[in-house]
Amino acid sequence: QVLSGYNIRRLSEGNQSLLNELQVQAELRRLASNVMVAESDVRGAVITNNASHLRNIETTDRAVETELLRVKDRFQGNIPPQIAELEILIERKKDFNKQIITAFDSDNPDKARELVTTNRGRILRDSILALISDLEHTRQSELSSIVRSIESTGNRARMWGFVITGIALFALILSFWFITSQGRQQQKMIQALNESERRSKDVAHMKEQFLANMSHEIRTPMNSILGFTNLLRRTELNDIQREYVQNIHSAGENLLTLVNDILDLSKIEAGMMHLEESRFSLRSMVSSVGAMFAEKINEKKLNFEVQIDKELPDILVGDAVRLTQILVNLLSNAVKFTEEGRIDLRVDLVNSTDSSVRVRFTLSDTGIGIARSKQKTVFERFQQAETETSRRYGGSGLGLSIVKQLVELQHGSIDLRSELGKGSQFIVE
């Protein structure tokens, strides 16, 4: 586009110069013609003694002046010396013609004939015509130069056209080759990705199968250990033995909880966690969750209160098991990290339609709280608010991560509001 624009501009400028030169030559010819017409009219009037020949002399003189001005304008300030000389000769010729006309008009035809026969008029006329011829010859050279320039520009434009066409064809071939090559590479990459995805799925399935098997293998003896420790606790034991048995039982429960959490997390990550839809009583479910922690709450002498919105329908359809797991994890943390004060569970109706309800569970406690800088990380795997927490309170840091993913599986959200030393509030919708 740039080269085409440049060549077109050059051609346009050349054509304009050519037109200007042709107009200069045409005006020079008209100037010579008008000078000869004026000379002829004056000589004809004197020789024939007929004043009718002088009727158009003023018009002819004005035409001569006009053509001379046009010629000067065509040169646009770069006026050659011949023009100035031509201007002087034309003025002399006009003055000489006026002398003849004045003598002719004053009824002195002899003097007018005498002026004509001096041949001074012819000499001036021939000088003017010679100058015009010289100018035409000079401009003819300029005209030839302009024509050659136009031809050169045209040839250059044609050559660049061929060059650009060749470049375009080469670029087209190169682009086609590049696209084809990229297509082949992309196809290979897609095949490699498909193979990698298949292997990843196989590995994930193997991991899931391994974790399920290991979970089963670990849970079976752990349940036996917990069962025997429960039986052992019912026998007559001294204080030291009872403490040992209690420690074994607590460690077993913690290990079983960890195994269950890891299995749940692996199921969620592998996409194997499926939500069930069954009818359940919301109030009964909340009541049973509270009952699970009644003993621990009483041991710590905490106040525990549950409030359920009266507008909430009691019978709902959903995955009661996963909802219970969410509440158990949250309530377990609240009991674990609250040494004194209270724990409140509030269940509210957010909105409802003919086919669904949106429920908000708000669990508040007066426990140790979570620093603002740590609140975003507590929902990540194996993360706890402080490094000392796991040593002091136990736990693996998987509970809240599982809760968040279970909530998101049910198209919900979980939010945390907490202040260090003043307790925490978890809001699940």
Short mmCIF file of all heavy atoms in Angstrom, two decimals, residues 282-328:
data_model
loop_
_atom_site.label_atom_id
_atom_site.label_comp_id
_atom_site.label_asym_id
_atom_site.label_seq_id
_atom_site.Cartn_x
_atom_site.Cartn_y
_atom_site.Cartn_z
N LEU A 282 -35.28 -31.62 58.31
CA LEU A 282 -34.21 -30.69 58.63
C LEU A 282 -34.05 -30.54 60.14
O LEU A 282 -32.93 -30.57 60.66
CB LEU A 282 -34.50 -29.33 57.99
CG LEU A 282 -33.46 -28.24 58.24
CD1 LEU A 282 -32.13 -28.60 57.58
CD2 LEU A 282 -33.95 -26.89 57.69
N ARG A 283 -35.16 -30.41 60.84
CA ARG A 283 -35.09 -30.20 62.30
C ARG A 283 -34.52 -31.44 63.00
O ARG A 283 -33.72 -31.32 63.94
CB ARG A 283 -36.47 -29.84 62.84
CG ARG A 283 -36.89 -28.42 62.46
CD ARG A 283 -38.35 -28.12 62.78
NE ARG A 283 -38.68 -26.73 62.49
CZ ARG A 283 -38.92 -26.25 61.28
NH1 ARG A 283 -38.89 -27.08 60.24
NH2 ARG A 283 -39.20 -24.98 61.11
N SER A 284 -34.90 -32.63 62.55
CA SER A 284 -34.37 -33.85 63.16
C SER A 284 -32.88 -33.97 62.91
O SER A 284 -32.11 -34.39 63.79
CB SER A 284 -35.08 -35.08 62.58
OG SER A 284 -36.45 -35.06 62.91
N MET A 285 -32.45 -33.60 61.70
CA MET A 285 -31.02 -33.68 61.36
C MET A 285 -30.21 -32.75 62.25
O MET A 285 -29.18 -33.13 62.82
CB MET A 285 -30.81 -33.33 59.89
CG MET A 285 -29.37 -33.49 59.43
SD MET A 285 -29.00 -32.44 58.03
CE MET A 285 -29.05 -30.83 58.79
N VAL A 286 -30.68 -31.49 62.39
CA VAL A 286 -29.96 -30.52 63.23
C VAL A 286 -29.93 -31.00 64.68
O VAL A 286 -28.91 -30.90 65.38
CB VAL A 286 -30.61 -29.13 63.11
CG1 VAL A 286 -30.00 -28.16 64.11
CG2 VAL A 286 -30.46 -28.59 61.69
N SER A 287 -31.05 -31.56 65.12
CA SER A 287 -31.12 -32.06 66.50
C SER A 287 -30.14 -33.21 66.74
O SER A 287 -29.45 -33.27 67.77
CB SER A 287 -32.56 -32.52 66.81
OG SER A 287 -32.64 -33.06 68.10
N SER A 288 -30.02 -34.11 65.75
CA SER A 288 -29.11 -35.25 65.90
C SER A 288 -27.65 -34.80 65.89
O SER A 288 -26.81 -35.36 66.61
CB SER A 288 -29.35 -36.27 64.80
OG SER A 288 -29.06 -35.71 63.53
N VAL A 289 -27.35 -33.77 65.09
CA VAL A 289 -25.98 -33.23 65.07
C VAL A 289 -25.64 -32.64 66.43
O VAL A 289 -24.55 -32.85 66.98
CB VAL A 289 -25.82 -32.19 63.95
CG1 VAL A 289 -24.49 -31.45 64.09
CG2 VAL A 289 -25.91 -32.84 62.59
N GLY A 290 -26.58 -31.90 66.99
CA GLY A 290 -26.35 -31.33 68.32
C GLY A 290 -26.17 -32.40 69.37
O GLY A 290 -25.34 -32.27 70.29
N ALA A 291 -26.93 -33.50 69.23
CA ALA A 291 -26.84 -34.58 70.22
C ALA A 291 -25.48 -35.25 70.21
O ALA A 291 -25.01 -35.74 71.24
CB ALA A 291 -27.94 -35.60 69.95
N MET A 292 -24.83 -35.27 69.02
CA MET A 292 -23.51 -35.90 68.93
C MET A 292 -22.49 -35.22 69.84
O MET A 292 -21.56 -35.86 70.33
CB MET A 292 -22.99 -35.83 67.48
CG MET A 292 -23.74 -36.68 66.49
SD MET A 292 -22.98 -36.49 64.86
CE MET A 292 -24.25 -37.22 63.82
N PHE A 293 -22.66 -33.89 70.04
CA PHE A 293 -21.65 -33.14 70.79
C PHE A 293 -22.15 -32.73 72.17
O PHE A 293 -21.49 -31.94 72.86
CB PHE A 293 -21.25 -31.88 69.99
CG PHE A 293 -20.58 -32.20 68.69
CD1 PHE A 293 -21.33 -32.30 67.52
CD2 PHE A 293 -19.22 -32.42 68.62
CE1 PHE A 293 -20.73 -32.60 66.32
CE2 PHE A 293 -18.61 -32.72 67.41
CZ PHE A 293 -19.36 -32.82 66.26
N ALA A 294 -23.31 -33.24 72.54
CA ALA A 294 -23.88 -32.84 73.83
C ALA A 294 -22.94 -33.16 74.98
O ALA A 294 -22.74 -32.35 75.91
CB ALA A 294 -25.23 -33.50 74.02
N GLU A 295 -22.33 -34.34 74.94
CA GLU A 295 -21.46 -34.76 76.05
C GLU A 295 -20.24 -33.86 76.15
O GLU A 295 -19.89 -33.40 77.24
CB GLU A 295 -21.04 -36.22 75.84
CG GLU A 295 -20.26 -36.77 77.02
CD GLU A 295 -19.92 -38.24 76.83
OE1 GLU A 295 -20.49 -38.88 75.92
OE2 GLU A 295 -19.08 -38.74 77.59
N LYS A 296 -19.59 -33.59 75.03
CA LYS A 296 -18.41 -32.74 75.05
C LYS A 296 -18.75 -31.31 75.47
O LYS A 296 -17.99 -30.67 76.19
CB LYS A 296 -17.74 -32.73 73.67
CG LYS A 296 -17.07 -34.04 73.31
CD LYS A 296 -16.34 -33.94 71.98
CE LYS A 296 -15.65 -35.26 71.64
NZ LYS A 296 -14.94 -35.19 70.34
N ILE A 297 -19.90 -30.82 75.00
CA ILE A 297 -20.33 -29.48 75.37
C ILE A 297 -20.58 -29.40 76.87
O ILE A 297 -20.20 -28.42 77.53
CB ILE A 297 -21.58 -29.09 74.57
CG1 ILE A 297 -21.23 -28.86 73.09
CG2 ILE A 297 -22.22 -27.82 75.13
CD1 ILE A 297 -22.41 -28.68 72.17
N ASN A 298 -21.20 -30.43 77.41
CA ASN A 298 -21.45 -30.44 78.86
C ASN A 298 -20.16 -30.55 79.64
O ASN A 298 -20.02 -29.94 80.71
CB ASN A 298 -22.38 -31.61 79.21
CG ASN A 298 -23.79 -31.38 78.69
OD1 ASN A 298 -24.23 -30.23 78.56
ND2 ASN A 298 -24.52 -32.46 78.39
N GLU A 299 -19.20 -31.32 79.13
CA GLU A 299 -17.92 -31.44 79.82
C GLU A 299 -17.22 -30.08 79.94
O GLU A 299 -16.60 -29.79 80.96
CB GLU A 299 -17.00 -32.41 79.07
CG GLU A 299 -17.34 -33.88 79.27
CD GLU A 299 -16.43 -34.78 78.45
OE1 GLU A 299 -15.45 -34.24 77.85
OE2 GLU A 299 -16.68 -36.00 78.41
N LYS A 300 -17.31 -29.27 78.88
CA LYS A 300 -16.67 -27.95 78.89
C LYS A 300 -17.55 -26.88 79.51
O LYS A 300 -17.15 -25.72 79.61
CB LYS A 300 -16.33 -27.53 77.45
CG LYS A 300 -15.15 -28.30 76.85
CD LYS A 300 -14.70 -27.64 75.56
CE LYS A 300 -13.40 -28.21 75.08
NZ LYS A 300 -12.86 -27.48 73.91
N LYS A 301 -18.77 -27.28 79.90
CA LYS A 301 -19.72 -26.35 80.51
C LYS A 301 -20.00 -25.15 79.60
O LYS A 301 -19.98 -23.99 80.02
CB LYS A 301 -19.20 -25.87 81.86
CG LYS A 301 -19.04 -27.00 82.88
CD LYS A 301 -18.51 -26.50 84.20
CE LYS A 301 -18.34 -27.66 85.19
NZ LYS A 301 -17.81 -27.21 86.50
N LEU A 302 -20.25 -25.44 78.32
CA LEU A 302 -20.57 -24.40 77.34
C LEU A 302 -22.09 -24.30 77.18
O LEU A 302 -22.81 -25.29 77.35
CB LEU A 302 -19.94 -24.73 75.98
CG LEU A 302 -18.42 -24.89 75.94
CD1 LEU A 302 -17.98 -25.36 74.56
CD2 LEU A 302 -17.72 -23.59 76.28
N ASN A 303 -22.55 -23.12 76.85
CA ASN A 303 -23.96 -22.93 76.53
C ASN A 303 -24.15 -23.21 75.04
O ASN A 303 -23.43 -22.66 74.20
CB ASN A 303 -24.41 -21.50 76.85
CG ASN A 303 -24.41 -21.22 78.33
OD1 ASN A 303 -24.76 -22.11 79.12
ND2 ASN A 303 -24.02 -20.03 78.73
N PHE A 304 -25.10 -24.03 74.70
CA PHE A 304 -25.36 -24.39 73.31
C PHE A 304 -26.83 -24.16 73.00
O PHE A 304 -27.71 -24.66 73.71
CB PHE A 304 -24.99 -25.85 73.06
CG PHE A 304 -25.23 -26.29 71.64
CD1 PHE A 304 -24.61 -25.65 70.58
CD2 PHE A 304 -26.10 -27.34 71.37
CE1 PHE A 304 -24.84 -26.07 69.28
CE2 PHE A 304 -26.33 -27.75 70.07
CZ PHE A 304 -25.69 -27.11 69.02
N GLU A 305 -27.09 -23.38 71.93
CA GLU A 305 -28.47 -23.05 71.59
C GLU A 305 -28.66 -23.19 70.08
O GLU A 305 -27.80 -22.77 69.28
CB GLU A 305 -28.81 -21.61 72.01
CG GLU A 305 -30.27 -21.26 71.80
CD GLU A 305 -30.61 -19.85 72.28
OE1 GLU A 305 -29.76 -19.23 72.94
OE2 GLU A 305 -31.72 -19.39 71.98
N VAL A 306 -29.78 -23.78 69.70
CA VAL A 306 -30.13 -23.95 68.29
C VAL A 306 -31.42 -23.19 68.02
O VAL A 306 -32.41 -23.36 68.76
CB VAL A 306 -30.31 -25.44 67.94
CG1 VAL A 306 -30.74 -25.58 66.48
CG2 VAL A 306 -29.02 -26.22 68.18
N GLN A 307 -31.42 -22.36 66.96
CA GLN A 307 -32.63 -21.62 66.56
C GLN A 307 -32.90 -21.91 65.09
O GLN A 307 -32.02 -21.74 64.24
CB GLN A 307 -32.45 -20.11 66.75
CG GLN A 307 -32.32 -19.70 68.21
CD GLN A 307 -32.17 -18.18 68.35
OE1 GLN A 307 -32.16 -17.45 67.37
NE2 GLN A 307 -32.08 -17.72 69.59
N ILE A 308 -34.13 -22.37 64.81
CA ILE A 308 -34.52 -22.70 63.43
C ILE A 308 -35.69 -21.82 63.03
O ILE A 308 -36.68 -21.70 63.77
CB ILE A 308 -34.89 -24.19 63.30
CG1 ILE A 308 -33.69 -25.06 63.71
CG2 ILE A 308 -35.32 -24.52 61.88
CD1 ILE A 308 -33.96 -26.54 63.66
N ASP A 309 -35.57 -21.19 61.89
CA ASP A 309 -36.61 -20.30 61.37
C ASP A 309 -37.92 -21.06 61.22
O ASP A 309 -37.98 -22.15 60.62
CB ASP A 309 -36.15 -19.74 60.01
CG ASP A 309 -37.02 -18.58 59.54
OD1 ASP A 309 -38.11 -18.40 60.09
OD2 ASP A 309 -36.57 -17.87 58.62
N LYS A 310 -38.98 -20.48 61.75
CA LYS A 310 -40.30 -21.15 61.70
C LYS A 310 -40.83 -21.24 60.27
O LYS A 310 -41.66 -22.10 59.96
CB LYS A 310 -41.30 -20.38 62.56
CG LYS A 310 -40.99 -20.44 64.05
CD LYS A 310 -42.02 -19.65 64.84
CE LYS A 310 -41.70 -19.69 66.36
NZ LYS A 310 -42.68 -18.92 67.14
N GLU A 311 -40.34 -20.35 59.39
CA GLU A 311 -40.82 -20.36 58.01
C GLU A 311 -40.20 -21.49 57.19
O GLU A 311 -40.66 -21.79 56.09
CB GLU A 311 -40.47 -19.01 57.33
CG GLU A 311 -41.10 -17.79 57.97
CD GLU A 311 -42.63 -17.84 57.87
OE1 GLU A 311 -43.14 -18.31 56.84
OE2 GLU A 311 -43.30 -17.40 58.83
N LEU A 312 -39.16 -22.11 57.72
CA LEU A 312 -38.51 -23.18 56.98
C LEU A 312 -39.38 -24.43 56.96
O LEU A 312 -39.84 -24.88 58.02
CB LEU A 312 -37.17 -23.54 57.63
CG LEU A 312 -35.92 -22.90 57.04
CD1 LEU A 312 -34.73 -23.16 57.94
CD2 LEU A 312 -35.65 -23.42 55.65
N PRO A 313 -39.61 -25.04 55.79
CA PRO A 313 -40.33 -26.32 55.76
C PRO A 313 -39.46 -27.40 56.40
O PRO A 313 -38.24 -27.38 56.28
CB PRO A 313 -40.55 -26.57 54.27
CG PRO A 313 -39.51 -25.75 53.58
CD PRO A 313 -39.26 -24.56 54.44
N ASP A 314 -40.09 -28.32 57.08
CA ASP A 314 -39.32 -29.33 57.81
C ASP A 314 -38.82 -30.43 56.88
O ASP A 314 -37.68 -30.87 56.99
CB ASP A 314 -40.19 -29.94 58.92
CG ASP A 314 -39.38 -30.88 59.80
OD1 ASP A 314 -38.27 -30.49 60.21
OD2 ASP A 314 -39.84 -32.01 60.06
N ILE A 315 -39.66 -30.88 55.97
CA ILE A 315 -39.28 -31.98 55.08
C ILE A 315 -38.69 -31.40 53.80
O ILE A 315 -39.35 -30.66 53.07
CB ILE A 315 -40.48 -32.90 54.76
CG1 ILE A 315 -41.08 -33.43 56.05
CG2 ILE A 315 -40.04 -34.04 53.84
CD1 ILE A 315 -40.12 -34.24 56.91
N LEU A 316 -37.42 -31.75 53.54
CA LEU A 316 -36.73 -31.28 52.34
C LEU A 316 -36.17 -32.48 51.58
O LEU A 316 -36.11 -33.59 52.11
CB LEU A 316 -35.57 -30.36 52.72
CG LEU A 316 -35.92 -29.08 53.49
CD1 LEU A 316 -34.66 -28.34 53.89
CD2 LEU A 316 -36.82 -28.18 52.66
N VAL A 317 -35.77 -32.23 50.33
CA VAL A 317 -35.12 -33.26 49.52
C VAL A 317 -33.69 -32.81 49.27
O VAL A 317 -33.46 -31.70 48.80
CB VAL A 317 -35.87 -33.46 48.18
CG1 VAL A 317 -35.11 -34.44 47.30
CG2 VAL A 317 -37.28 -33.93 48.42
N GLY A 318 -32.74 -33.66 49.61
CA GLY A 318 -31.33 -33.32 49.41
C GLY A 318 -30.46 -34.40 49.97
O GLY A 318 -30.91 -35.50 50.29
N ASP A 319 -29.15 -34.09 50.08
CA ASP A 319 -28.19 -35.07 50.61
C ASP A 319 -28.00 -34.78 52.09
O ASP A 319 -27.15 -33.97 52.49
CB ASP A 319 -26.86 -34.97 49.86
CG ASP A 319 -25.97 -36.18 50.11
OD1 ASP A 319 -26.06 -36.74 51.21
OD2 ASP A 319 -25.20 -36.54 49.22
N ALA A 320 -28.77 -35.45 52.91
CA ALA A 320 -28.72 -35.22 54.36
C ALA A 320 -27.38 -35.66 54.94
O ALA A 320 -26.89 -35.06 55.90
CB ALA A 320 -29.87 -35.96 55.03
N VAL A 321 -26.77 -36.69 54.34
CA VAL A 321 -25.49 -37.20 54.86
C VAL A 321 -24.41 -36.14 54.72
O VAL A 321 -23.66 -35.86 55.66
CB VAL A 321 -25.09 -38.49 54.12
CG1 VAL A 321 -23.70 -38.95 54.57
CG2 VAL A 321 -26.12 -39.58 54.37
N ARG A 322 -24.32 -35.51 53.53
CA ARG A 322 -23.28 -34.50 53.31
C ARG A 322 -23.57 -33.24 54.11
O ARG A 322 -22.65 -32.58 54.60
CB ARG A 322 -23.17 -34.16 51.82
CG ARG A 322 -22.77 -35.36 50.97
CD ARG A 322 -21.51 -36.00 51.46
NE ARG A 322 -21.28 -37.31 50.85
CZ ARG A 322 -20.41 -38.19 51.29
NH1 ARG A 322 -19.70 -37.94 52.38
NH2 ARG A 322 -20.26 -39.36 50.69
N LEU A 323 -24.84 -32.90 54.24
CA LEU A 323 -25.20 -31.74 55.05
C LEU A 323 -24.84 -31.98 56.51
O LEU A 323 -24.33 -31.09 57.21
CB LEU A 323 -26.70 -31.45 54.90
CG LEU A 323 -27.21 -30.13 55.45
CD1 LEU A 323 -26.41 -28.96 54.88
CD2 LEU A 323 -28.68 -29.96 55.15
N THR A 324 -25.08 -33.19 56.98
CA THR A 324 -24.68 -33.56 58.35
C THR A 324 -23.18 -33.48 58.51
O THR A 324 -22.67 -32.97 59.53
CB THR A 324 -25.17 -34.99 58.66
OG1 THR A 324 -26.59 -35.04 58.54
CG2 THR A 324 -24.76 -35.40 60.07
N GLN A 325 -22.44 -33.93 57.49
CA GLN A 325 -20.98 -33.90 57.55
C GLN A 325 -20.47 -32.47 57.65
O GLN A 325 -19.53 -32.19 58.40
CB GLN A 325 -20.40 -34.58 56.30
CG GLN A 325 -18.90 -34.80 56.36
CD GLN A 325 -18.40 -35.58 55.15
OE1 GLN A 325 -19.19 -36.02 54.31
NE2 GLN A 325 -17.10 -35.74 55.06
N ILE A 326 -21.10 -31.57 56.92
CA ILE A 326 -20.72 -30.15 56.97
C ILE A 326 -20.92 -29.60 58.38
O ILE A 326 -20.02 -28.99 58.97
CB ILE A 326 -21.54 -29.33 55.95
CG1 ILE A 326 -21.12 -29.69 54.53
CG2 ILE A 326 -21.35 -27.83 56.18
CD1 ILE A 326 -22.05 -29.15 53.45
N LEU A 327 -22.11 -29.84 58.93
CA LEU A 327 -22.42 -29.30 60.26
C LEU A 327 -21.56 -29.96 61.34
O LEU A 327 -21.13 -29.30 62.29
CB LEU A 327 -23.90 -29.50 60.57
CG LEU A 327 -24.88 -28.70 59.69
CD1 LEU A 327 -26.32 -29.03 60.06
CD2 LEU A 327 -24.64 -27.21 59.83
N VAL A 328 -21.29 -31.25 61.21
CA VAL A 328 -20.47 -31.96 62.19
C VAL A 328 -19.05 -31.38 62.20
O VAL A 328 -18.47 -31.14 63.27
CB VAL A 328 -20.44 -33.47 61.89
CG1 VAL A 328 -19.32 -34.16 62.66
CG2 VAL A 328 -21.78 -34.10 62.24
#
